[in-house]
Amino acid sequence: MSSNPIELDIAIIGGGSAGMALASKLDNLSAAVFEPKTAAERDSSWALWAQPEQLEQLSPAIRGSWDKWRLIDHSGEVIHQSNEYRYTSLSSGQYLQHCEASLKDSVNLVRAAVDDLTAEENGGQFSADGQAYKAKTIYDSRPPIMGDNSLRQHFVGWEISTKEPITDADIATLMDFRVDQSRGLHFIYVLPYSDRHLLVESTMISNQLEDKDWYRNAISQWLADRNIQMQSQLREEYGVIPMAAVQPQNTQVPTIGAAGGSVRLSSGYAFSTIQAQMATLAEAISAGEREVPAPFSRRLIFMDRVFNRALSAQPDRGVGLFMATSKALDAEEFARFMLGNAGAMEWAKVIMAMPKWPFIQAALRQVFKND
Ligand SMILES: Cc1cc2nc3c(=O)[nH]c(=O)nc-3n(C[C@H](O)[C@H](O)[C@H](O)COP(=O)(O)OP(=O)(O)OC[C@H]3O[C@@H](n4cnc5c(N)ncnc54)[C@H](O)[C@@H]3O)c2cc1C
């Protein structure tokens, strides 16, 4: 390793959603983001409810955008149509490339993994690709450690083309629960990029990961049940998203993104929260502050933990909980709720729609942590 460390004001470890969003907003200080993978190696779908100004900002990475979305179970479907929000799918690879192209001259992208990190106050020393670095502030976004038996959202997705045009190509299906529920809460997620081009994911919310073939079989079965014949499989993605508290890889330096608790615990959505958090952090940095803003209010974290406790205690109620939430809210309210921006009225509607006793038990357990 070189003996003279390169000195930086800010080092960002991990150039994913959070790291690149922050790096692309920094200016006028010496900074570097360290990321071993190329944007193309990181290609998957990141989706969010976007309003018009966000759609414009994210336009280089948008793969599809829908003003209608739905949830389905055996008893029927709830369709939301919004004038304000569009459910929008991004190519993460294109988003990361767009951020990379926006980096200012003072910010470098180092295509290497960080190791040997030694924390010193908010910063520290580390090496990457045999070079030593010393940074006054470090923001660490390396993926967090998830407990083996913790509640997680886990999925396999296939991007496919179809032999025949599909119906309802103008609606994003967020959750189709008409699938095997024997292993935990399970749904199919479908984004129709066109009437012959889809992303289809088999998603589980449970404590145990399945063998990848389990999700693949579920996708095949769902397609067969709808008589949708695949022309070709274009891509496969796999993901595991925490729905419980996580442990950062290094507890001594500030964390951002999923490592800093930016994943919404009850839904697994994180992209919008990370965008907002990184915009606020970049403004703080330009004003001379370095502290990472909290991603969520304490109330929201409490409510999400109660929801997850109720779900974990009685997973067979999961379908009903999500369907009841979507029925209780209109499209705009639902989008705000999923984004973590719901007001008191929206929360009141959701609480009224929930079965009371499981939630009272879950809330008491969360307050007294007696399990
Ligand atoms: C497949 C998938 C799909 C998702 N879809 C959605 C979605 O649709 N909507 C949504 O809101 N959320 C989604 N999420 C959740 C969340 O938005 C993403 O996980 C998001 O990428 C989190 O951003 P991040 O920056 O915290 O982590 P990441 O984007 O995972 O970035 C962490 C980076 O750290 C790098 N790294 C690892 N080790 C080192 C090292 N030693 N040195 C330097 N770098 C290192 C990794 O290569 C990685 O690029 C999804 C997650 C996954 C896994």
Side-chain angles (χ1 to χ4, degrees):
M1 196 195 298
S2 151
S3 53
N4 289 329
I6 295 176
E7 302 213 355
L8 297 166
D9 284 326
I10 291 182
I12 301 168
I13 308 181
S17 166
M20 289 308 288
L22 177 61
S24 67
K25 292 177 174 62
L26 295 181
D27 199 2
N28 294 327
L29 28 72
S30 75
V33 53
F34 295 82
E35 169 59 55
K37 293 186 180 164
T38 63
E41 284 170 318
R42 299 262 353 253
D43 202 22
S44 62
S45 154
W46 285 338
L48 71 154
W49 280 267
Q51 289 179 295
E53 67 276 15
Q54 267 176 313
L55 286 169
E56 206 179 304
Q57 282 164 16
L58 297 169
S59 61
I62 293 178
R63 313 191 70 193
S65 182
W66 302 265
D67 65 352
K68 279 195 258 181
W69 56 83
R70 66 181 167 191
L71 282 78
I72 312 175
D73 71 358
H74 283 294
S75 64
E77 64 181 6
V78 179
I79 299 185
H80 286 156
Q81 179 158 19
S82 173
N83 296 323
E84 208 180 311
Y85 292 94
R86 293 186 70 89
Y87 190 73
T88 301
S89 164
L90 306 177
S91 149
S92 59
Q94 282 170 21
Y95 172 76
L96 295 172
Q97 265 164 5
H98 174 63
C99 291
E100 196 176 323
S102 319
L103 294 179
K104 310 290 183 308
D105 288 344
S106 59
V107 184
N108 284 319
L109 172 59
V110 180
R111 205 47 91 201
V114 160
D115 44 39
D116 297 332
L117 172 59
T118 309
E120 292 162 3
E121 295 197 10
N122 283 334
Q125 304 206 36
F126 57 88
S127 66
D129 207 15
Q131 170 66 52
Y133 292 85
K134 184 175 166 68
K136 287 186 192 136
T137 307
I138 291 176
Y139 295 113
D140 189 358
S141 74
R142 286 172 296 170
I145 299 157
M146 299 179 223
D148 277 349
N149 198 30
S150 62
L151 191 66
R152 286 160 291 177
Q153 187 175 124
H154 38 107
F155 53 89
V156 167
W158 286 354
E159 195 177 322
I160 60 167
S161 59
T162 61
K163 287 189 177 158
E164 303 293 333
I166 57 143
T167 54
D168 295 338
D170 60 334
I171 307 181
T173 300
L174 303 184
M175 293 175 158
D176 183 344
F177 292 111
R178 297 169 300 174
V179 284
D180 176 12
Q181 300 292 335
S182 65
R183 308 278 305 157
L185 185 62
H186 178 208
F187 57 89
I188 300 285
Y189 171 81
V190 189
L191 298 183
Y193 295 129
S194 77
D195 64 0
R196 285 176 189 263
H197 181 192
L198 318 175
L199 174 68
V200 190
E201 287 184 358
S202 158
T203 305
M204 288 284 293
I205 296 180
S206 72
N207 300 57
Q208 291 301 322
L209 306 185
E210 304 296 332
D211 186 86
K212 277 192 188 163
D213 281 339
W214 188 89
Y215 313 87
R216 291 178 183 132
N217 290 338
I219 296 172
S220 298
Q221 187 62 52
W222 186 88
L223 291 170
D225 289 349
R226 272 134 209 99
N227 206 16
I228 300 174
Q229 290 181 342
M230 196 158 66
Q231 177 78 35
S232 53
Q233 187 185 321
L234 308 168
R235 198 172 60 81
E236 180 177 90
E237 68 182 47
Y238 173 65
V240 181
I241 303 177
M243 295 181 79
V246 291
Q247 163 96 26
Q249 294 200 25
N250 185 309
T251 53
Q252 314 278 296
V253 290
T255 46
I256 55 172
S262 296
V263 178
R264 178 90 196 270
L265 293 181
S266 62
S267 70
Y269 282 93
F271 184 84
S272 303
T273 306
I274 289 174
Q275 289 281 304
Q277 191 192 28
M278 293 305 100
T280 311
L281 177 57
E283 271 175 35
I285 290 170
S286 69
E289 303 287 328
R290 294 290 160 97
E291 200 173 324
V292 181
F296 299 112
S297 68
R298 289 162 73 109
R299 184 186 70 162
L300 187 64
I301 294 170
F302 176 82
M303 297 301 269
D304 279 353
R305 288 197 170 141
V306 170
F307 185 88
N308 285 356
R309 274 178 187 268
L311 194 60
S312 293
Q314 293 177 310
D316 50 324
R317 282 190 186 258
V319 175
L321 297 181
F322 282 100
M323 292 303 288
T325 302
S326 63
K327 277 182 199 152
L329 301 174
D330 68 22
E332 280 71 29
E333 290 168 338
F334 185 78
R336 280 195 291 275
F337 186 77
M338 295 303 283
L339 286 167
N341 298 335
M345 188 52 98
E346 284 133 10
W347 271 107
K349 286 186 184 180
V350 172
I351 289 166
M352 292 303 289
M354 293 295 128
K356 302 293 168 294
W357 184 233
F359 273 83
I360 292 168
Q361 283 176 313
L364 289 173
R365 284 206 192 98
Q366 181 58 33
V367 169
F368 297 109
K369 304 250 175 37
N370 61 354
D371 60 356

